[in-house]
Amino acid sequence: MPWYVRVLRGVNVGLTIVLFMSILGGSSGILSTESSAAARRFTRPVEFDFVSWTVDALAVKLGQASLDTPYYLIEPSRHQLMVQYLHTVDAILQDEDKLNLYFSDPSVKDPEAASAGLREALDNLYAEQRQIGPIAESILQEQISATLSRLGLTEGGQPMPPVLFHMSPLPYDLIISPRNVIRQDAAISLDPTLPVDQQSSLESKVDKNLDVSSLVVPIGGIGTYPTMVERTTALDWLSSTIAHEWTHNYLSWHPLGLNYDTTPQLRTMNETTADIVGGEVGKAMLKKYYPELVAEFTTAEPVDYPLAPVKAAFDFNHEMHTTRVHADDLLAQGKISEAESYMEQRRLVFWQNGYAIRKLNQAYFAFYGAYADVPGGAAGQDPVGPAVRKLRASSSSLSVFLHTIAEMSSYTQLQAAVAQ
């Protein structure tokens, strides 16, 4: 790539960052509602610091832009570096788990001393990650950008906004739903180091004091700019998540994204659209650049379950769909306590079949039910997801689908489009 093209691209990225920070400025990962305002009495001490994260991420991105290292690497070298990076991340994640065990095992009397060698090894791995991580991110950004261009999702060959992401431990989200209906009324981002016992304690305080249903959930990415993406060696999940979060940033320039929080239906439209685009772009990127790595680095999306092998006869998606439908029916009849008891009974069924779901409540469905790119699951009988999928099926291309739905600002418009 000629030097002047790189300079122009760097200027474009810089201007986009400034523009996005003005659009997203003041965003702290908090859905602004009465519920979130009330809940923040309990969450302020443990909320995620978006400002510090963004400053650090921008420093990494500007460093990447100034070096332009990926442009000097031929494709085999890019490929080799990406494999090295994935192995480094895999080693880090495994050693971090081992380190946690040292400090959790009551039989280890002096975890500091016992883990000294492991901590030294981790420090070396962290140093390697800091060295090659920014280059690996730049390579993935370029490959996702090229894939978006091949699929007709760019302007003049350039994605708008440019693809920028940074991998790091992600915050948790505290999801709040009313008890009498499944609906996400608040989402507050929390410190990623918050231990599970404190998560549970926070949920109990919020539930008791506000008479709501709450749940702290892990997330895989956030559509900040640069976007946040969780550390992983699952290359399929990683590429799809990068494209998913880029889609959110793309939609933020259009009516659908601008109205993300207006209604639950529009939130589901946004998330389902991002899932569809992310999935198709991710698969296309893998097929082009990493066909032989898919088997080695493809795993399920990282979640807080399962902990045990899943019985083949147990259909998670079907059982979760059944649970959501019956819970909705009970809540519609005003039987709140019965619905909550039923969801707890069903949680035990999932547990017995290998899915260690910590809590199954209204907040669980309010969060996971918005991701409706596949039939069934936590969305229950919500018609929004199927309508988005129907629009994609009737669109001649992914580009036509995205450009069509991006201009929508209501579920009624989607219904009209799929009725044609």
Side-chain angles (χ1 to χ4, degrees):
M1 180 181 292
W3 67 268
Y4 56 85
V5 174
R6 296 200 299 270
V7 170
L8 289 174
R9 187 179 182 279
V11 171
N12 182 31
V13 169
L15 291 174
T16 304
I17 288 172
V18 171
L19 180 57
F20 257 81
M21 290 190 73
S22 67
I23 293 173
L24 302 175
S27 172
S28 57
I30 299 170
L31 182 61
S32 181
T33 64
E34 260 184 56
S35 293
S36 62
R40 292 196 67 207
R41 288 184 294 155
F42 308 98
T43 62
R44 281 190 183 92
V46 292
E47 286 177 15
F48 184 73
D49 185 354
F50 276 87
V51 173
S52 295
W53 185 92
T54 302
V55 169
D56 290 343
L58 287 177
V60 172
K61 295 295 121 179
L62 291 173
Q64 292 173 8
S66 64
L67 291 175
D68 271 341
T69 305
Y71 297 114
Y72 298 102
L73 297 176
I74 59 175
E75 189 56 44
S77 297
R78 289 182 169 206
H79 197 282
Q80 183 179 357
L81 187 142
M82 186 57 59
V83 173
Q84 180 186 352
Y85 176 73
L86 291 171
H87 281 297
T88 300
V89 172
D90 184 52
I92 286 173
L93 294 175
Q94 289 190 42
D95 281 359
E96 285 179 343
D97 284 343
K98 293 176 185 176
L99 185 61
N100 287 332
L101 287 177
Y102 273 113
F103 285 84
S104 302
D105 188 345
S107 67
V108 179
K109 303 304 180 184
D110 188 353
E112 288 282 348
S115 64
L118 181 60
R119 285 185 285 113
E120 182 179 354
L122 262 174
D123 286 341
N124 292 332
L125 288 169
Y126 288 143
E128 182 178 349
Q129 184 186 37
R130 286 192 296 271
Q131 181 180 10
I132 65 175
I135 304 172
E137 289 182 8
S138 291
I139 291 170
L140 282 174
Q141 285 168 184
E142 291 298 321
Q143 291 170 340
I144 292 290
S145 296
T147 304
L148 290 169
S149 181
R150 289 198 305 275
L151 294 175
L153 297 172
T154 59
E155 301 295 334
Q158 173 62 56
M160 284 303 297
V163 179
L164 281 184
F165 78 96
H166 183 50
M167 280 186 280
S168 69
L170 263 63
Y172 293 106
D173 266 4
L174 174 67
I175 306 300
I176 297 176
S177 168
R179 292 180 63 211
N180 64 336
V181 65
I182 293 171
R183 183 184 71 228
Q184 182 174 310
D185 279 356
I188 303 174
S189 294
L190 307 176
D191 190 323
T193 64
L194 191 68
V196 67
D197 59 327
Q198 292 184 35
Q199 295 175 28
S200 181
S201 176
L202 176 62
E203 292 162 355
S204 296
K205 290 177 184 176
V206 171
D207 291 351
K208 181 179 178 180
N209 286 274
L210 304 182
D211 191 28
V212 296
S213 170
S214 67
L215 182 67
V216 176
V217 299
I219 55 176
I222 301 179
T224 52
Y225 200 75
T227 57
M228 296 186 195
V229 177
E230 181 63 275
R231 297 175 304 166
T232 181
T233 59
L235 194 56
D236 63 334
W237 182 86
L238 178 58
S239 57
S240 295
T241 301
I242 295 168
H244 175 110
E245 300 304 338
W246 173 84
T247 305
H248 278 308
N249 283 340
Y250 170 84
L251 291 174
S252 69
W253 300 75
H254 298 81
L256 183 61
L258 290 170
N259 289 282
Y260 181 98
D261 290 330
T262 304
T263 66
Q265 291 82 6
L266 284 166
R267 177 174 173 265
T268 299
M269 287 169 64
N270 270 275
E271 293 297 350
T272 305
T273 297
D275 267 354
I276 289 172
V277 175
E280 293 193 34
V281 172
K283 287 177 183 176
M285 194 278 278
L286 283 179
K287 184 177 180 181
K288 170 71 175 177
Y289 297 104
Y290 304 101
E292 82 294 350
L293 288 184
V294 174
E296 181 178 359
F297 286 112
T298 296
T299 64
E301 177 179 346
V303 290
D304 58 347
Y305 56 83
L307 295 180
V310 180
K311 296 178 181 177
F314 187 81
D315 186 334
F316 177 89
N317 234 33
H318 173 75
E319 296 298 332
M320 190 58 72
H321 173 83
T322 299
T323 306
R324 170 66 189 270
V325 170
H326 190 56
D328 276 333
D329 286 344
L330 289 172
L331 291 174
Q333 298 172 47
K335 299 178 179 179
I336 298 174
S337 296
E338 290 91 333
E340 291 171 340
S341 295
Y342 167 72
M343 285 186 281
E344 173 58 17
Q345 292 166 9
R346 292 292 291 173
R347 185 188 72 83
L348 298 177
V349 172
F350 284 101
W351 173 271
Q352 292 160 4
N353 284 275
Y355 292 90
I357 300 173
R358 186 169 59 85
K359 286 185 180 179
L360 190 57
N361 58 9
Q362 296 90 328
Y364 178 98
F365 286 113
F367 177 75
Y368 290 106
Y371 299 83
D373 58 313
V374 294
Q381 291 182 317
D382 187 343
V384 181
V388 177
R389 298 196 302 270
K390 185 175 180 180
L391 180 65
R392 172 63 187 102
S394 64
S395 300
S396 58
S397 68
L398 185 63
S399 175
V400 169
F401 163 72
L402 181 58
H403 292 152
T404 299
I405 201 166
E407 299 305 317
M408 296 181 183
S409 57
S410 71
Y411 175 49
T412 302
Q413 290 173 301
L414 175 60
Q415 289 176 302
V418 297
Q420 293 178 358

